[in-house]
Amino acid sequence: MATSIDSAAANDAPKPRKPQMFDYSRPEGFGTGKAVVNLGNSGLLRGAVHVVKNGAGDNNLHIHTGMDGFYMVLKGECTFYGPEDEILGVFGINQGITMPHGNAYWFSSTGEDELELLQVVGWDGQIEDKRVDLNPPKGDVAPEKSDKFDARVR
């Protein structure tokens, strides 16, 4: 009888991670230009919501060498830029962009409301992922300076 997973292969495979549940709510009172709310991570896939104050954001041009990203606006408006500030798109609620690895980009909250941006990223295990900053980070919105929150249910 055929099964969906070969039992011999399953015995050799690493144990899968347990499913992660989350309960997202917008963080209040964060002190920097951006907060990142972790929704979960499978090792190959990560979900997060970026909450970006007006005029702030991932405001330096950068590349991810091995990470593909999917971005969808939940609230507000977001403008994605490429090299030399070329506008790749201006996105409102339920709109967004898929960003394959190796593309240079940055984004900013450009609407009247603060931005809530769903980010889903995935990695190719055969490609080393590094973030390569092409311009220096500005202000308090660099990735290492963003406020971090966790929406995972434990």
Side-chain angles (χ1 to χ4, degrees):
M1 176 181 216
T3 61
S4 60
I5 299 176
D6 178 74
S7 60
N11 289 336
D12 294 337
K15 186 175 178 182
R17 290 185 181 199
K18 292 182 179 181
Q20 293 178 6
M21 294 162 281
F22 61 88
D23 184 10
Y24 171 74
S25 61
R26 184 191 180 286
E28 298 297 331
F30 57 95
T32 61
K34 181 169 69 172
V36 179
V37 181
N38 180 17
L39 302 177
N41 187 336
S42 73
L44 298 175
L45 179 74
R46 181 186 72 217
V49 175
H50 293 245
V51 181
V52 184
K53 293 181 179 177
N54 292 344
D58 239 350
N59 64 357
N60 71 306
L61 187 66
H62 67 280
I63 293 172
H64 293 279
T65 61
M67 181 183 87
D68 289 3
F70 169 96
Y71 299 87
M72 186 174 84
V73 174
L74 302 176
K75 181 181 176 188
E77 179 185 275
C78 183
T79 301
F80 272 77
Y81 302 88
E84 300 189 30
D85 295 339
E86 170 195 3
I87 295 177
L88 301 176
V90 179
F91 305 105
I93 295 172
N94 296 331
Q95 297 177 326
I97 190 169
T98 300
M99 188 63 63
H101 66 277
N103 284 280
Y105 73 98
W106 66 279
F107 66 84
S108 186
S109 174
T110 52
E112 292 183 20
D113 294 326
E114 289 185 353
L115 173 65
E116 291 182 50
L117 183 67
L118 175 65
Q119 176 196 46
V120 179
V121 298
W123 296 272
D124 181 335
Q126 304 299 315
I127 302 173
E128 181 181 10
D129 180 48
K130 292 182 182 177
R131 178 186 164 121
V132 179
D133 288 322
L134 302 176
N135 292 335
K138 300 175 187 174
D140 63 358
V141 294
E144 65 278 0
K145 294 182 180 177
S146 299
D147 286 334
K148 307 288 191 286
F149 297 88
D150 198 341
R152 292 175 294 172
V153 175
R154 306 221 187 246

